[in-house]
Amino acid sequence: QDYYVVILCPTEMDAQVRRVLQIPMWSQRVIYLQGSALKDQDLLRAKMDDAEACFILSSRCEVDRTAADHQTILRAWAVKDFAPNCPLYVQILKPENKFHIKFADHVVCEEEFKYAMLALNCICPATSTLITLLVHTSRGQIAPWEAFRQLTGTKQTLNRESQQSPEQWQKMYGRCSGNEVYHINLEESTFFAEYEGKSFTYASFHAHKKFGVCLIGVRKEDNKNILLNPGPRYIMSSTDICFYINITKEENSAFKKQEKHRKKHESKLSYHGASRLPVHSIIASMGTVAIDLQDTGCCPPSGPTLALPSQGGKEGRRPSIAPVLEVADSSSLQTCDLLSDQSEDETTPSDDEVSAGLEYAKGYPPYSPYIGSSPTFCHLLHEKVPFCCLRLDKGCQHNYYEDAKAYGFKNKLIIVAAETAGNGLYNFIVPLRAYYRPKKELNPIVLLLDNPPDMHFLDAICWFPMVYYMVGSIDNLDDLLRCGVTFAANMVVVDKESTMSAEEDYMADAKTIVNVQTLFRLFSSLSIITELTHPANMRFMQFRAKDCYSLALSKLEKKEREKGSNLAFMFRLPFAAGRVFSISMLDTLLYQSFVKDYMISITRLLLGLDTTPGSGFLCSMKITEEDLWIRTYARLYQKLCSSTGDIPIGVYRTESQKLTTSESQISISVEEWEDTKDTKEQISYRSNHRNSTSSDQSDHPLLRRKSMQWARRLSRRVPRHSGKTAEKINQQRMNLYRRSERQELAELVKNRMKHLGLSPAGYDEMNDHHNTLSYILINPSPDTRLELNDIVYLIRPDPLAYVPNTSSSQKDSFCNTVGQDTREETQL
C-alpha cells in the first residue's frame, strides 16, 4: 500500500475489474487508464518515466498464444524505448520467445515453469503445491474447525481407534503454509551470525534447532549466483547473503527471553552455544498475527547427538546420531557418500543392460528445441534413437513392439497427455533425466499427443533414454491401454490450448475435467496430475456428489474467499495433495520479485530449470519402518546433515480420511440407515434385516435383488440374535454395493484389453486411494513426529562438487564432444 498502481489496458474496464476497484482499499490506490503501451502519450499519462517498476502481462486465454507473446514483446520494447531505466517484469507464454526480451530484469515463462513443475510432481509428490505455497504471502491459515464441524451437519462418525481429531491435518497444514523464503546478510543476522567460519550444514542444522528456521542457500557478495545447499565443504562468510524458510523474516520477529530481568547486552553473548541459549520460546509475528513456535529450551542432556545415556531404561538405548561437524573433514565426507548413486551407475553393466542397450552416458543434450534453454547435465544415449523407434505403438525394422507391455520396462511409466508437442514439453523431460537422478530409478516417459510431433521436436528428444510418443487422446480407452496406463505410476494431463478460451467463464476446463473424472473411475490406483485453466474448477476434480467432507470444505473455501484470502482453495483436497495445478497460481511469483528479486532464481533452481555449479537440487526420500527410530523431524535433520549433507525443507504426509465418505448414493443411504439403527437395538435382527433390504433399496431393483440373495445366504449361517454379526453383514453388503460399479468398470477395461491383444494381468481395479488425504508440511517444527510413508523433501548437494579431478575429466569426455556439437548447431 506504499505505491499507486496504474493499469494501462487497451480495452474498457470490464465489470469484474470495476467491482474490485469499488473496494475502498483499492479505489484510492489503483488507477485504470485505457490506452496503448505503444503510444508515448499514453505512457506519459501513466507516468512510465517515473515508475518504480513496469509489469507486462500476457493474455493466457488467447487461442493464438504465439500472437499474444508477440504483443507482449512489442509492449516490452516500447516501454524500454520510452523509459530505459524503468525495471521490467515480463510474463511470456512460450519459451521460444524468451530471447526477444532478454533485456528485461525479470522474466517468467509460463510453459517452462509449468512443465518442469508437472515433471517434478511425478518424483517429488505435490511439488506444485510446495512451490505455490512458498511464493504466496500467507499468514499461516488455520481452518476454523468449529465452523467445519457445523458445516458437516453430523456427529462425526469416527472410529473409536482414531485418537487424533480429523481437523489436525488442517491445523498443521494451515500453520506451515505461512512459511516463505527470506534473505538476510549473515553478519547482521541473529539467526546465522554465530556460524561465521562454520560449514553450511552446521549452520542450517543449528539454526533450525534453535530458531525453527530452515537455511536453504547462500550467495556470495561478489557473485550473483545463488547456491542451494552448497554442502558441508562450504564455509560461511560474514558477507554472505543467507536464504532461509520461515514464517516471517527475521526483521519482523520478536524474541521472548527466558528471564525478563536479563540485560540487553548479555542477550547477545548468550546466543553462543546451545547450552546457554536464553530463548524459551520464539514468537514469529507479522502484522497482528503471532505464532508461538515450539519450546527450544528442552534439549536432551546428551547434546547434539540426541542419544540417551547407556542406562536408557527398560526400552534400552536409542540409536545415537553423529553430531554435525563445524567444519567438514575428509573422514566425514567419506561417510557422506554423496556419489553413491553415481558410483552404481559407473559400475560394469549387467548382461541384461548390455543386451538391451541401456548403457547411458552423461553430458549436455546435443540439441535444444529453442534458443535460451539452460544447459543441464543429463543421462543421454551414446547414439540417438531413430525416429521410427520413438513411436511406442508402431513396430519398425529395429523393433517389433506395439504396446508398453512388450517393452518390459522395470520401472513404472510416466504418461503425459498433451494436445501438441510444444517446445515447453522439452522442460518436462530434462528434469526427469538430470544426471543426479539414479539411473536405476529412471521412469519411462510416454507422450500421448493429439497431434503428431514435428521433426524439430523429435530431434531434441531422441538423445534421451526411454522417451516415447504416441498419437492418441485420453478420451479414447484403446489409446490409453496401448500407451500403458495400467503400468503407469503417474498420468499428467496438460491443459489444451484450443480449449483455454470459452464463451462462458470457467467452462474452458470442462472437457479436461470430465476426461480426468473418467480416468479416475476406470483406473482408481492411478495417480493423476491435472493442469487447469481456472483454479476455481479444482473443486470438480475427483468429484463425488454425496461426499459430505468435500462439501464442507467447499463452504469453508467460500468463507475464506469472502475474507479476501488469496489462497482460499488451499484446503481443497486435490490441491493439498498436489493432484491439480493451474499456471495462474504462479502469477504471484512475478509480483514477489518486486520485493524479493531472488525468488525467480530460487524457483528455477528448485525445479531444475537452471543448474549452477555447486548448487544442490530438489529430491525426496520416503520414511520406511527402518527409519522410524529417528522419531522426530529434528533428529532427521541432524541425521541428514551429519551423514549425507542433505537439507530437509518439508514433509508430504498421507493419512486415511477419518470421515466416512460415500462413493454412491447407495452407500450413503446405507450409512444413514446404520446411524438410525443404533436407537433401535431392542428390535430383533430379522426385523432389522427386513427393513434394510426393503426400504433403502427400492430405487435399485437389481442391487436390491442381489443384496437379498447375499443376506439370505449369510442369515442361514449366523444366530439371529447376534447384533455384532448383523453389523458385519451390513458392512459386507455395503462393500458389495460399493464395489459393484467398480467391478462393472473393471470388466469393461479387461474386455477392451483382451480385444486389443493385451494381457489384463497388470490391471488392479480394487487398489485405490479414495479414502486417503495428503498434504504438505513446509518447514515443520523440530518436534514433529515422523510417520510411516512420510515423504521428506530434500535439497541435496551437487554430487559433481565433490568429484576428484581425475574422475571429473573422464566424466566430461562425452560432455565436451556434445558441447562442441551444441555450439555448432546453435550457430546454424
Side-chain angles (χ1 to χ4, degrees), residues 186 194-199 235-238 326-327:
L186 184 136
E194 63 180 289
Y195 305 119
E196 180 183 353
K198 308 292 196 304
S199 69
I235 304 302
M236 305 293 289
S237 173
S238 61
E326 294 186 6
V327 180

Side-chain angles (χ1 to χ4, degrees), residues 217-230:
V218 292
R219 182 174 65 196
K220 287 187 173 296
E221 185 182 27
D222 55 348
N223 196 331
K224 65 177 182 179
N225 291 329
I226 298 174
L227 302 179
L228 296 181
N229 187 11

Side-chain angles (χ1 to χ4, degrees), residues 128-129 132-133 136 173 506 509-510 512-513 516-517 530-544 550 553-554 557 561 566-585:
S128 56
T129 301
T132 301
L133 293 177
H136 272 77
Y173 167 64
Y506 300 105
D509 295 317
T512 300
I513 291 172
V516 171
Q517 180 74 357
T530 311
E531 182 205 2
L532 298 177
T533 301
H534 302 286
N537 286 333
M538 72 173 62
R539 64 186 186 272
F540 302 122
M541 302 308 299
Q542 300 180 2
F543 185 74
R544 285 175 284 184
S550 296
L553 288 176
S554 175
E557 178 182 341
R561 187 174 286 108
N566 59 350
L567 280 176
F569 51 79
M570 65 169 291
F571 289 104
R572 284 284 186 179
L573 298 184
F575 174 78
R579 297 191 182 99
V580 65
F581 168 72
S582 176
I583 191 62
S584 61
M585 296 176 184

Side-chain angles (χ1 to χ4, degrees), residues 143-144 147-148 151 170 552-560:
F148 180 81
L151 291 172
Q170 297 176 351
L553 288 176
S554 175
K555 296 179 181 179
L556 275 184
E557 178 182 341
K558 294 175 183 176
K559 288 182 176 292
E560 290 294 324

